[in-house]
Amino acid sequence: MARESIEVLKECEAFLEGHFLLSSGRHSGAYCQMAYLQQYPDKCAEVMAHVAEKLKDTDVDVIVGPAMGGIVYAYELGRQLGKRAIFTERVDNVMTLKRFAIHPGERCIIAEDVVTTGVSSLETKRVIEEAGGICLGITCVVDRTRPEAPSPLPILASALKLDLPNYAPEECPICKEGKLPLVHLGSRKMKEAAKQTL
């Protein structure tokens, strides 16, 4: 019987608790450090099998992983589905398709590590569409979206749905308590627009 994805994340110490600054600019008491899962290819494959199973009947040509967080998950999802896997990357802080090509009409799925607001995926969607591809939506290991702030792109499949509250900095109860320092573990440079996301 397949293990629950949260068990695997905890085993890898990829699920952390504390006081974290998310790449959206919001604060949270929990953080998924997905690079820790990537250390263990067998565990990564185990978690991504949950996503691949949900997508087995989806008509898709290319899995696109935004660098850095989505590269390994795009590769593993592509491997399990038997599809081509590529990645986008930032050049002068602008998401681009530097090394690969998407051919007009190719059906693409974005593979992310964690989706909280979905704002990051919009940049990859733009890249796909500028190349003539069709963006079907997002897959991710962890879906952290909230009903009051849904992703702007459909989330087609995730390994895990976590209902973990996150807060605007001025409303953060952990900040108000003042006991835990704010830690930023992400790699994306925050933008003012992302900070204003609901």
Side-chain angles (χ1 to χ4, degrees):
M1 184 175 168
R3 291 191 296 167
E4 292 293 325
S5 296
I6 189 67
E7 293 176 44
V8 182
L9 265 60
K10 286 181 177 178
E11 188 177 282
C12 300
E13 298 183 350
F15 181 79
L16 307 171
E17 294 180 293
H19 185 199
F20 303 100
L21 175 63
L22 304 176
S23 55
S24 63
R26 296 176 68 83
H27 294 194
S28 177
Y31 188 85
C32 295
Q33 178 56 285
M34 302 310 297
Y36 287 10
L37 175 61
Q38 294 176 9
Q39 297 176 101
Y40 306 101
D42 57 332
K43 292 178 173 62
C44 185
E46 182 181 357
V47 169
M48 290 308 291
H50 294 284
V51 179
E53 175 63 24
K54 295 172 186 175
L55 295 172
K56 66 182 180 184
D57 297 322
T58 303
D59 181 14
V60 59
D61 301 303
V62 185
I63 312 297
V64 183
M68 287 286 297
I71 294 176
V72 169
Y73 301 110
Y75 170 85
E76 182 56 33
L77 188 56
R79 187 187 71 79
Q80 293 192 27
L81 293 174
K83 303 296 181 181
R84 190 161 65 96
I86 64 174
F87 59 87
T88 58
E89 57 196 300
R90 293 186 184 280
V91 176
D92 298 326
N93 207 32
V94 176
M95 194 65 83
T96 60
L97 197 61
K98 182 178 177 183
R99 302 163 200 263
F100 306 99
I102 292 172
H103 307 295
E106 283 192 309
R107 297 166 63 81
C108 303
I109 290 177
I110 299 168
E112 294 272 17
D113 50 4
V114 179
V115 175
T116 303
T117 64
V119 170
S120 295
S121 298
L122 287 175
E123 296 177 279
T124 302
K125 176 181 185 281
R126 173 191 53 78
V127 172
I128 290 168
E129 292 178 344
E130 284 177 356
I134 300 163
C135 182
L136 302 177
I138 310 170
T139 64
C140 55
V141 180
V142 180
D143 175 0
R144 287 193 61 172
T145 58
R146 298 168 298 139
E148 64 271 25
S151 169
L153 297 174
I155 297 178
L156 306 174
S158 67
L160 182 63
K161 171 71 175 164
L162 288 179
D163 186 16
L164 300 171
N166 57 76
Y167 313 95
E170 63 276 8
E171 298 169 357
C172 177
I174 308 168
C175 286
K176 290 176 182 172
E177 200 173 68
K179 293 181 181 176
L180 295 173
L182 183 66
V183 178
H184 183 215
L185 298 174
S187 60
R188 181 162 68 92
K189 292 182 181 177
M190 291 187 301
K191 299 177 181 177
E192 199 59 38
K195 292 179 185 177
Q196 295 169 0
T197 302
L198 293 175

